Amino acid sequence: MTETAVYAAGAVCWRLVEGKPHVLLIHRTVHGDVTIPKGKVDPGESLPRTAVREIEEETGLAVALGVPLGVSHYDLPGGREKIVHYWAAEVTPEAIRRSTFVPNGEVAAIEWVTIKKARTYLSYGADVEILESFARLVDNGVTSTFALIALRHAKAAPPRSWDGPDSTRPLTEHGVQQAAGIVEAITAWRPRRIFTSTATRCVTTVAPLAAATGMKIKRTERLSQEAFEEGTGDVRAAIGKRVRARKTAVLCSHGPVLPEILREIALATGTTIGAYIADAADLEPGGFSVVHLSTDNPSSGIITIETHSPRV
């Protein structure tokens, strides 16, 4: 992020109404315009977390992020650039029932409309461009998605400074901070499962996420570096099971294992393997890649991959 720019995030919230995709627009009180839900990043906040928080504040809807839809750039009256990151976000019937929205000083009304109507209702061309990105997902039949989040463990004590077995190496103080910082970003996708290598540095990395969500940590040798290097690991089986489950999950592992994890996701979904797979696996400690797949037809291939660096 540049220091002079203003960053924001939001999402095209959507649901099916009588079998047809409808998107949510907000009518803003002060500006008198019609836009996609979005808002500015709070100090120390990640962009995914901003998107989820702003949607709930503006519309009363609790959502999980889906596929990234792009970035809008435009100049503010004072001359600073505003950069807005967008995702798709499916709104469940439960979220609708639990909505807390009432008209307020910022948002006068919210409205569900078809994509066709939204094109004419939106006040800004930049919003229409983001809407068109979502429309392409609809045309390709890949609106309902789940994600496999490949996470590299946070910064650990170097092997040369540790006398015990490599699998028991702990996180450094910086690594502990990274593990805590991962939580608010990853929860924006609302993972349903947490799987990790049995190594201490991996288990400790996902411990704050498990504590925050109430999910149990499932340890598996299939994702461990030791088993991978000895040829006894089984990344393929681990990934195949997760693709069949079609539920968003976190997979915490090691730098040497991550390329195999990304490769197996591609193979399990019939995706052509290219340099982008290696790029998505090239994570620094505490970084993660979110691999988006179709819930209805995972074999249609990887929709997109977004990579996030550690925040501390």
Side-chain angles (χ1 to χ4, degrees):
M1 293 186 180
T2 63
E3 292 183 2
T4 56
V6 175
Y7 287 87
V12 174
C13 299
W14 69 276
R15 65 176 173 136
L16 294 179
V17 178
E18 297 181 349
K20 195 169 187 177
H22 282 57
V23 298
L24 183 65
L25 305 183
I26 64 170
H27 297 252
R28 296 198 296 182
T29 306
V30 175
H31 299 278
D33 55 12
V34 180
T35 70
I36 297 169
K38 62 181 179 294
K40 290 190 293 186
V41 174
D42 281 346
E45 189 176 50
S46 68
L47 288 162
R49 170 58 189 163
T50 298
V52 170
R53 176 184 56 75
E54 283 289 340
I55 289 164
E56 187 157 15
E57 289 179 1
E58 291 189 338
T59 70
L61 296 168
V63 301
L65 297 185
V67 176
L69 295 178
V71 184
S72 291
H73 301 254
Y74 53 91
D75 293 328
L76 296 171
R80 298 176 70 185
E81 182 183 24
K82 188 167 186 178
I83 302 173
V84 190
H85 291 247
Y86 290 96
W87 285 263
E90 183 173 5
V91 178
T92 65
E94 181 183 8
I96 294 290
R97 288 194 299 270
R98 294 188 175 185
S99 174
T100 58
F101 175 79
V102 290
N104 54 69
E106 184 176 357
V107 180
I110 59 176
E111 183 177 13
W112 290 97
V113 299
T114 63
I115 294 173
K116 183 177 180 180
K117 287 184 178 179
R119 290 186 177 107
T120 61
Y121 286 7
L122 286 167
S123 300
Y124 306 106
D127 284 356
V128 175
E129 290 178 9
I130 296 299
L131 178 68
E132 294 302 343
S133 294
F134 175 72
R136 285 191 287 273
L137 292 179
V138 174
D139 292 341
N140 291 329
V142 289
T143 45
S144 291
T145 61
F146 69 102
L148 297 182
I149 303 172
L151 168 65
R152 184 176 179 182
H153 66 74
K155 185 68 175 176
R160 63 182 178 276
S161 69
W162 184 248
D163 294 332
D166 184 73
S167 63
T168 64
R169 276 195 290 131
L171 297 183
T172 62
E173 183 177 345
H174 185 208
V176 171
Q177 294 174 348
Q178 287 179 327
I182 287 166
V183 175
E184 58 98 48
I186 287 185
T187 50
W189 288 276
R190 292 202 175 185
R192 304 278 298 279
R193 300 285 188 274
I194 301 173
F195 297 89
T196 178
S197 158
T198 53
T200 299
R201 56 193 181 275
C202 288
V203 175
T204 311
T205 295
V206 296
L209 178 63
T213 60
M215 286 185 288
K216 292 182 179 179
I217 297 173
K218 298 193 176 182
R219 301 166 175 82
T220 174
E221 285 290 343
R222 289 173 171 174
L223 300 178
S224 79
Q225 181 174 338
E226 185 175 328
F228 176 73
E229 292 175 345
E230 291 176 352
T232 59
D234 196 347
V235 173
R236 173 163 293 180
I239 296 304
K241 191 171 183 179
R242 301 279 46 88
V243 171
R244 290 193 299 275
R246 307 185 193 203
K247 294 177 181 177
T248 296
V250 175
L251 306 168
C252 184
S253 190
H254 311 259
V257 187
L258 286 166
E260 188 69 9
I261 290 174
L262 270 295
R263 179 176 179 273
E264 288 299 336
I265 294 174
L267 292 175
T269 57
T271 308
T272 302
I273 296 175
Y276 72 98
I277 293 293
D279 292 342
D282 187 19
L283 298 169
E284 52 190 313
F288 61 93
S289 286
V290 185
V291 185
H292 296 275
L293 305 171
S294 168
T295 304
D296 298 325
N297 185 18
S299 64
S300 62
I302 293 171
I303 300 169
T304 190
I305 302 176
E306 54 181 305
T307 297
H308 296 263
S309 298
R311 307 198 61 251
V312 291

